[in-house]
Amino acid sequence: MATLADTGLAFTTLPHPAPASDEQRAAVLANPGFGSHFTDHMVVIEWSEGTGWHDATLGPRGPLALDPAAAVLHYAQEIFEGLKAYVQADGSVSLFRPEANARRFNDSARRLAMPELPEALFIEAIERLVRADRGWIPEGEGASLYLRPFMIATEAFLGVRPAKSYKFIVIASPAGNYFKSGSPAVSIWVSDYVRAAPGGTGAAKCGGNYAASLVPQGEAIARGHDQVVFLDAVERKWIEELGGMNLYFVFADGTLLTPELTGTILPGITRDSLLTLAREEGLQVIEGRYSMDEWRADTASGKLLETFACGTAAVVTPVGKVCGHDGDFEIGTGGPGQLTQKLKARLVAIQRGQESDTHGWVRKIA
Ligand SMILES: *Cc1c(COP(=O)(O)O)cnc(C)c1O
């Protein structure tokens, strides 16, 4: 467990002058949607050169005071994470693999020239926020409290170099099912834009990657699709990932393939968890390269049965239709495939404490 002894940092707790009323909270929890409602509190921890991490506060959520010259506003020195707290079958509250998010956060920090945060402090901040906002966790199928830890460069300086001060912040947002009607198969557009190039920031979870994905994503929407799929930057041939989800391909011979982590793909924790679960199911799991041409040909020949995308927000989402300049093709019958459903059910059951956690993934916190 993360304790004060682990991190050596004492948290100040500021009382909330006017938390949401029970009625207001109940109204939000009845239909939380995704990402537009927030809990009463937030955690803020400051970092400055020389002092390191200091002034950890759990307090009321509210606007930040930032100097207009703050580095994050000009050069986008920002990273983030996304994970969920779930009400378990027994009424307790758990996080899913928060150490993996803490590790990845520091991987991102190094790539963006930002200070690393001790993993125990990352987890402690999240635990404190979830305990303070315990009443904001929606219950029911697909419901959770979405947690958004992030770090921004706050130094007021317009020169181009790593900032000398940062804020680490955690906010929380009650979340319903990401897709309103369960898991309909999504339609995806093969983008001409590139998400990440070799040597770039594709493996870091930074806001800049998302800013650059908005035009390609908008193009997909304008063409009547749900999501965009990005190909590799060099050959424009190998399938990488969606704007915010990793991909899996299911073959008739019992093989499961996901694009290998080449440095341009975000190493998803859902992706990693499914690698383990699929191996337990006896599937031959390959991390390798898979091209657009193979995807199209294997779908036509019946060699490929299912494709799904995965990530914390939407968990597992079937891909039903693929469209690009070289034509369209459909996968499966428009709903989730058999293996897609099975893997999703197992992952969700572990996350919610309905299936035993044999990997030490579930961390009970309240
Ligand atoms: C966060 C993210 C994912 C999924 O990662 P999870 O840890 O499974 O939530 C995939 N791709 C991108 C670009 C991401 O930012």
Side-chain angles (χ1 to χ4, degrees), residues 34 80-86 95-98 100-101 104 142-149 173 175-179 205 210 241 244-246 266-274 309-317 344 347-348 351-352:
F34 186 85
F80 67 96
E81 273 300 326
L83 69 164
K84 288 173 170 176
Y86 307 87
L95 300 174
F96 185 72
R97 304 187 67 184
N101 294 94
R104 186 171 67 187
S144 61
L145 184 65
Y146 184 79
L147 297 153
R148 170 53 59 87
S173 173
N177 243 334
Y178 196 78
F179 294 103
K205 216 167 171 71
Y210 277 76
E241 61 171 312
M245 283 188 273
N246 297 113
L266 198 290
I269 295 161
T270 316
R271 174 190 180 279
D272 184 72
S273 306
L274 291 171
C310 64
T312 297
V315 194
V316 167
T317 303
K344 178 177 183 176
L347 181 60
V348 169
Q351 289 172 334
R352 301 199 166 258

Side-chain angles (χ1 to χ4, degrees), residues 273-290:
S273 306
L274 291 171
L275 276 177
T276 299
L277 295 183
R279 286 192 177 117
E280 285 173 5
E281 294 291 325
L283 294 153
Q284 166 83 17
V285 189
I286 301 168
E287 293 178 82
R289 295 208 293 183
Y290 195 55

Side-chain angles (χ1 to χ4, degrees), residues 143-207:
S144 61
L145 184 65
Y146 184 79
L147 297 153
R148 170 53 59 87
F150 63 105
M151 187 186 349
I152 56 172
T154 54
E155 187 192 356
F157 177 62
L158 294 181
V160 180
R161 58 145 170 78
K164 293 183 177 175
S165 61
Y166 298 86
K167 277 185 202 293
F168 169 74
I169 303 172
V170 191
I171 55 173
S173 173
N177 243 334
Y178 196 78
F179 294 103
K180 287 185 196 86
S181 53
S183 289
V186 294
S187 167
I188 63 180
W189 169 251
V190 185
S191 189
D192 301 317
Y193 287 96
V194 161
R195 191 191 84 91
T201 56
K205 216 167 171 71
C206 61

Side-chain angles (χ1 to χ4, degrees), residues 122-136:
F122 178 96
I123 295 171
E124 181 181 355
I126 291 168
E127 289 184 356
R128 283 182 183 262
L129 180 62
V130 173
R131 288 198 198 104
D133 287 330
R134 169 72 181 80
W136 281 97

